[in-house]
Amino acid sequence: AVVPEGLVAPPAAALTLVEALEWHAARQPERVHVLLLGEDGREETVTYGALLEAAQGSAAGLRRRGLQTGQTVALMLPTGRAYLECFFAVLIAGGIPVPIYPPARLAQIEDHLRRHGRILANAEAVLMITVAQAKPVAVVLRAAVPSLAGILTPEELSGPGLSTDFYRTRAEDIALLQYTSGSTGDPKGVVLSHANLLANIRAMGRAAGVGGQDVFVSWLPLYHDMGLIGAWLGSLYHGIPLVLMSPLSFLTRPARWLTALSRHRGTVSAGPNFAFELCLKKIVDEDLRGVDLSAWRLAFNGAEAVSPATLEAFARRFAAWGLRRAAIAPVYGLAECSVGLAFPPLERGPLIDRIRREPFVREGRALPAAAAETDALSIASCGRPLPGHEIRILDGAGLELPARRVGRLEFRGPSATSGYYRNAEATALLKHEGWLDSGDLAYMAAGEVYIAGRVKDLIIRGGRNIYPYDLEEAVGNLPGVRRGCVAVFAATDAVGGTERLVVLAETRERALLASPELRRRINEAAIDVIGMPADDIVLAPPHAVLKTSSGKIRRAACRAAYERGQLGKELMPVRVQAARLVLISAAARAALALRRAAIWGYAGYFWALFLLLAPLAGGLAALLRRPVPGRRIAHFAAAGFLRLAFLPLTVKGRSALPSRPHVLLVNHASYLDVILLAAALAPSYTFVAKRELLARPVLRAVLQGLGVIFVERFEAQKSAQDVAAMAAALQAGQSLVLFPEGTFTREAGLRPFAMGGFVAACRAGVPAVVCGLRGTRAALRDETWLPRRAAIEFEIGPTLTPAGEDWAAALALSQAARSAMLPLCGEHDRAA
């Protein structure tokens, strides 16, 4: 087994991948970085020092063959030492690596060449490094790619001497072109800088709690981001050993993966959902003699749709060999965010959300299902955004949706790509005001993300949203159908002009290719899952379902093949389909334009109303300089504004407010909160606000006229003085309203509390009344000026009495208030 000794901290100051390798090579050159497992059982070690030395030698070979700084080099190599060395050789020589996968089977060689030709042409690759056996294929590619000047093997790069003064890469330089899987269209080259990759690796390391005693075991291909960045480069940066085996070794005998985890005491490993399914299907108990999986603390499931049933079955099946359910970790990521975007909390295990089927498919609402509901859908949480990263869910008009509403997932953070290589049009569609479009449909609940499917794969039939994966999984479970080899997509009906729901299913049994019985069972499965039969069922031999290099189903490509008549019946002329699509597209654009006009019209009305009432009420308050009359004016103006802006406010529990002085504690989610509280509360309340507002003269005059108490959030001495001022106001008979969070952000969740208000309540000996605002974040979220109509509730909760006057009493009061506020505000605990 590989056991780390003499631990070395990760290179926190490294700006590039090359610097990270140099860091480890200088401090622990003889330490094993990668242990390569051969299919014949032999093991080969790669140390940090040996990797750097070999990469430098090959970099010199690249320079001798004319590679210039910033040029791209395609790597079409299998997993092995040569891949590791050549990847870093390209970086050291100043080039940009472009990983592509070698052909897997002759049955799809034409599609393989066509796709790779487009990749290399877009990348303008000048060199390709491949194995000698792949050279015939590479020669065909060269004929289709004018920029390709040479095709080399790793052996041809080695040579004497390191006479080249290598270019020193910078953080902003491109470290990698990761071509997307192409599951929904042509592959695009994601530009990833050294800064992007290191930010992602560091964020994933923090979320995963990576430490010196970890060992990563991987069979993932190095041409795919999960294997390249998540497994290899992540292990390299953190200085943990990587046990690396060939993908074919795993695919031919999945038990080798679990055996390697046991033998090398692997703590971290990852795979797509199909890999866990393959283990369940192919591994028998006899294959696992002596296997111990108790060291496996993180079993990441990502890169494709995650099946809750697979998670549970895998945890149950291998518990007898020491696997803990808490180790199972569904994750979410995409090439446009380097690789990782959301990870679950450590040691929790899978979190499965059971939701009602009808509201989900008809309205895009993920409502929790009752325990007795048998028709519920199950979706696995993929966790929370990585440190430093954010996720939001948008509707079709570009407005952020509240929790448990399905929409388009967008993200931002330091791992996010700057765009697609030499593809300005696709980059423009990707980026929106600093946010990037994932192309996925999802919803958020309690701060965690749940993936519903790809935007382009969504099928709308009879007012229902059909997510292909659910039906694909159900059909794949039928006897005679190849599991994981089912594609569900919508195709245009050339006769009626409507969309047809098509199920393409592979079977190995020739007798089933024309089987009415299998078609009947598939339709029964469709009725069970989506409430309607398929319009067309295509039974096909193996390899008819087109997939990406990582095993994702290319539904768009399957649909195109179907519509070309390659998978089913011949269709009407393309011009008929094109005309229909033009009409549908025009109608959709018109509907969207009307919706956007309504949104902007309401926003214009909202802000015109605000600009009419706010200066009037604020000006009177500033001129009067008498807090109680000023608050009365603000109260009537705020209530009138809400009515005229069509923002219904429901107040619950008003009778529970004590008559004696108290502190009213409210969660903070939006700029609307102050207006709502002014409308809901009596004018006798004094508001507490942050001292930074004093820097704005007009606002300062208004707030001072309303008698607002200002508090310091950052300077301890002033903060202590402000606590004393609040306590004095309470002792003088005033009731205070304050937001214990101090501020708000666009992200949902109850933020940590500041202690000032609790200390003041304890010193004054007055109770704290805990309240909750719901709906204001949806009505006007931070970072946007587009309001939307929403039902808003203000609920007055329990009254808490301090247990004393000291800090311990204030802390206990804070904790009790937080517990009471969480159910009232309806958001998750961001301090947890």
Side-chain angles (χ1 to χ4, degrees):
V2 178
V3 180
E5 298 177 359
L7 305 180
V8 173
L15 299 179
T16 68
L17 296 174
V18 175
E19 288 181 15
L21 174 57
E22 290 173 338
W23 167 279
H24 288 294
R27 287 161 178 77
Q28 46 186 2
E30 299 305 318
R31 182 179 169 118
V32 173
H33 163 41
V34 177
L35 181 69
L36 292 165
L37 304 183
E39 293 190 47
D40 56 2
R42 287 185 294 182
E43 299 179 352
E44 181 183 6
T45 60
V46 180
T47 64
Y48 289 103
L51 175 58
L52 179 60
E53 182 179 356
Q56 288 172 336
S58 294
L62 287 169
R63 281 295 197 179
R64 285 195 298 270
R65 283 160 176 78
L67 181 67
Q68 301 297 311
T69 301
Q71 291 184 322
T72 54
V73 179
L75 299 177
M76 195 167 78
L77 293 165
T79 296
R81 177 186 287 267
Y83 195 107
L84 309 179
E85 294 171 353
C86 289
F87 182 90
F88 268 100
V90 175
L91 290 178
I92 292 170
I96 301 171
V98 182
I100 59 176
Y101 63 99
R105 51 180 180 253
L106 294 177
Q108 294 184 357
I109 188 66
E110 183 180 349
D111 181 65
H112 178 90
L113 292 175
R114 184 171 57 250
R115 284 167 50 77
H116 276 1
R118 294 195 298 267
I119 288 174
L120 296 176
N122 175 256
E124 292 186 327
V126 297
L127 294 172
M128 173 185 285
I129 306 174
T130 186
V131 295
Q133 298 90 324
K135 270 199 168 186
V137 174
V139 169
V140 176
L141 288 173
R142 184 176 179 181
V145 183
S147 62
L148 198 59
I151 300 169
L152 308 167
T153 64
E155 294 76 17
E156 291 171 332
L157 288 176
S158 60
L162 298 177
S163 58
T164 304
D165 290 328
F166 297 119
Y167 170 76
R168 292 301 297 179
T169 53
R170 302 166 299 176
E172 64 271 19
D173 287 340
I174 301 175
L176 170 68
L177 289 184
Q178 181 67 53
Y179 275 80
T180 60
S181 58
S183 58
T184 57
D186 282 344
K188 299 180 288 290
V190 178
V191 175
L192 296 174
S193 68
H194 289 271
N196 293 147
L197 294 178
L198 288 176
N200 202 242
I201 288 167
R202 286 164 176 149
M204 290 191 297
R206 284 178 58 191
V210 174
Q213 298 301 319
D214 276 313
V215 176
F216 203 124
V217 176
S218 178
W219 56 267
L220 297 166
L222 293 175
Y223 51 75
H224 188 261
D225 50 14
M226 198 177 192
L228 175 63
I229 305 168
W232 175 35
L233 297 178
S235 297
L236 182 143
Y237 173 82
H238 289 289
I240 65 173
L242 172 64
V243 179
L244 190 59
M245 58 195 294
S246 162
L248 292 177
S249 180
F250 162 73
L251 293 172
T252 54
R253 192 179 170 196
R256 289 171 175 160
W257 181 24
L258 304 188
T259 302
L261 278 160
S262 173
R263 180 180 178 186
H264 299 284
R265 303 303 292 164
T267 61
V268 185
S269 196
N273 194 81
F274 88 83
F276 295 88
E277 276 287 345
L278 198 62
C279 290
L280 292 169
K281 184 177 179 180
K282 296 292 187 181
I283 296 177
V284 297
D285 291 355
E286 289 73 16
D287 295 331
L288 300 176
R289 289 176 182 167
V291 166
D292 178 9
L293 301 177
S294 60
W296 197 1
R297 69 177 188 87
L298 280 173
F300 290 125
N301 182 327
E304 65 181 20
V306 176
S307 166
T310 301
L311 299 176
E312 298 294 350
F314 193 85
R316 286 195 305 270
R317 168 73 195 285
F318 297 105
W321 285 271
L323 178 66
R324 298 175 302 113
R325 186 179 185 278
I328 307 296
V331 294
Y332 171 67
L334 64 165
E336 287 81 357
C337 192
S338 296
V339 59
L341 179 55
F343 276 25
L346 294 172
E347 291 296 317
R348 185 188 65 190
L351 176 63
I352 310 302
D353 193 24
R354 293 184 72 254
I355 58 175
R356 297 172 57 196
R357 183 182 297 273
E358 280 302 305
F360 183 73
V361 299
R362 290 195 179 277
E363 306 166 30
R365 293 190 297 153
L367 303 180
E373 290 189 56
T374 58
D375 193 32
L377 291 171
S378 293
I379 301 182
S381 166
C382 290
R384 301 167 183 167
L386 291 175
H389 296 71
E390 295 179 85
I391 289 174
R392 68 178 184 179
I393 309 297
L394 303 183
D395 64 11
L399 294 179
E400 192 160 359
L401 290 167
R404 294 196 168 276
R405 292 293 303 273
V406 177
R408 186 186 292 265
L409 186 152
E410 290 192 346
F411 67 95
R412 66 183 179 187
S415 306
T417 177
S418 59
Y420 297 117
Y421 193 69
R422 298 181 61 242
N423 195 334
E425 182 179 354
T427 300
L429 295 174
L430 172 71
K431 306 176 80 171
H432 310 285
E433 299 177 351
W435 293 82
L436 280 73
D437 185 353
S438 70
D440 287 315
L441 292 167
Y443 66 91
M444 301 288 290
E448 305 209 13
V449 62
Y450 295 81
I451 305 300
R454 296 289 292 169
V455 172
K456 292 183 179 179
D457 292 337
L458 179 67
I459 304 168
I460 302 176
R461 291 289 306 277
R464 298 169 63 92
N465 294 331
I466 298 172
Y467 299 90
Y469 179 75
D470 298 327
L471 182 52
E472 288 167 352
E473 188 174 34
V475 174
N477 287 327
L478 296 175
V481 176
R482 298 187 70 208
R483 188 172 179 83
C485 299
V486 180
V488 174
F489 51 88
T492 303
D493 182 355
V495 177
T498 58
E499 280 197 329
R500 297 167 58 82
L501 179 64
V502 181
V503 177
L504 168 63
E506 292 183 9
T507 177
R508 291 190 184 278
E509 303 175 36
R510 288 186 174 274
L512 292 178
L513 290 175
S515 168
E517 175 62 21
L518 181 55
R519 292 174 185 273
R520 183 186 63 79
R521 293 203 305 267
I522 290 175
N523 260 333
E524 287 178 351
I527 293 170
D528 289 342
V529 173
I530 63 174
M532 63 184 71
D535 295 308
D536 194 7
I537 296 172
V538 180
L539 301 177
H543 312 315
V545 174
L546 302 176
K547 296 184 178 182
T548 69
S549 61
S550 59
K552 295 180 186 176
I553 294 171
R554 296 172 57 205
R555 298 183 183 91
C558 291
R559 179 179 65 234
Y562 175 87
E563 292 181 342
R564 289 195 302 265
Q566 296 176 353
L567 298 179
K569 296 177 291 185
E570 295 235 358
L571 302 179
M572 292 291 287
V574 175
R575 63 178 180 273
V576 177
Q577 302 176 43
R580 176 64 183 170
L581 290 174
V582 167
L583 291 174
I584 293 173
S585 177
R589 286 197 299 270
L592 184 58
L594 287 173
R595 186 177 180 187
R596 285 176 174 165
I599 290 168
W600 283 100
Y602 176 72
Y605 169 74
F606 178 98
W607 290 115
L609 185 64
F610 179 82
L611 292 174
L612 175 66
L613 294 177
L616 181 62
L620 287 173
L623 289 172
L624 285 173
R625 287 188 169 274
R626 296 174 58 195
V628 175
R631 291 176 201 149
R632 189 171 290 115
I633 293 170
H635 169 76
F636 287 113
F641 173 79
L642 294 179
R643 282 194 295 271
L644 294 172
F646 308 104
L647 289 173
L649 172 63
T650 302
V651 181
K652 297 181 179 180
R654 196 192 301 270
S655 60
L657 288 172
S659 57
R660 57 181 290 206
H662 57 272
V663 176
L664 197 77
L665 304 168
V666 190
N667 60 296
H668 203 7
S670 170
Y671 289 111
L672 284 175
D673 295 345
V674 174
I675 298 174
L676 291 160
L677 292 177
L681 297 173
S684 57
Y685 280 95
T686 299
F687 280 75
V688 178
K690 56 187 178 183
R691 190 174 293 275
E692 295 100 288
L693 298 178
L694 289 171
R696 303 174 183 178
V698 174
L699 189 58
R700 178 179 63 206
V702 173
L703 296 179
Q704 287 176 336
L706 294 172
V708 170
I709 296 175
F710 297 95
V711 295
E712 174 62 47
R713 294 190 297 162
F714 305 113
E715 295 185 30
Q717 185 175 357
K718 290 183 179 179
S719 180
Q721 296 171 356
D722 295 334
V723 168
M726 285 190 288
L730 290 166
Q731 290 168 339
Q734 298 184 53
S735 291
L736 305 184
V737 178
L738 61 85
F739 302 111
E741 296 168 275
T743 188
F744 64 92
T745 62
R746 53 157 300 280
E747 291 182 87
L750 192 65
R751 296 170 60 85
F753 286 174
M755 290 298 297
F758 301 100
V759 174
C762 290
R763 287 186 186 178
V766 302
V769 180
V770 184
C771 304
L773 269 173
R774 293 189 293 270
T776 60
R777 199 185 300 275
L780 185 62
R781 209 169 192 122
D782 190 24
E783 298 185 14
T784 179
W785 295 104
L786 279 178
R788 60 194 307 171
R789 295 179 60 187
I792 299 170
E793 292 184 357
F794 175 54
E795 185 171 0
I796 297 164
T799 298
L800 307 176
T801 302
E805 298 182 7
D806 57 6
W807 176 261
L811 187 61
L813 182 62
S814 168
Q815 292 170 343
R818 188 172 195 85
S819 298
M821 190 177 291
L822 280 166
L824 292 174
C825 72
E827 296 193 336
H828 67 283
D829 190 351
R830 286 187 63 183

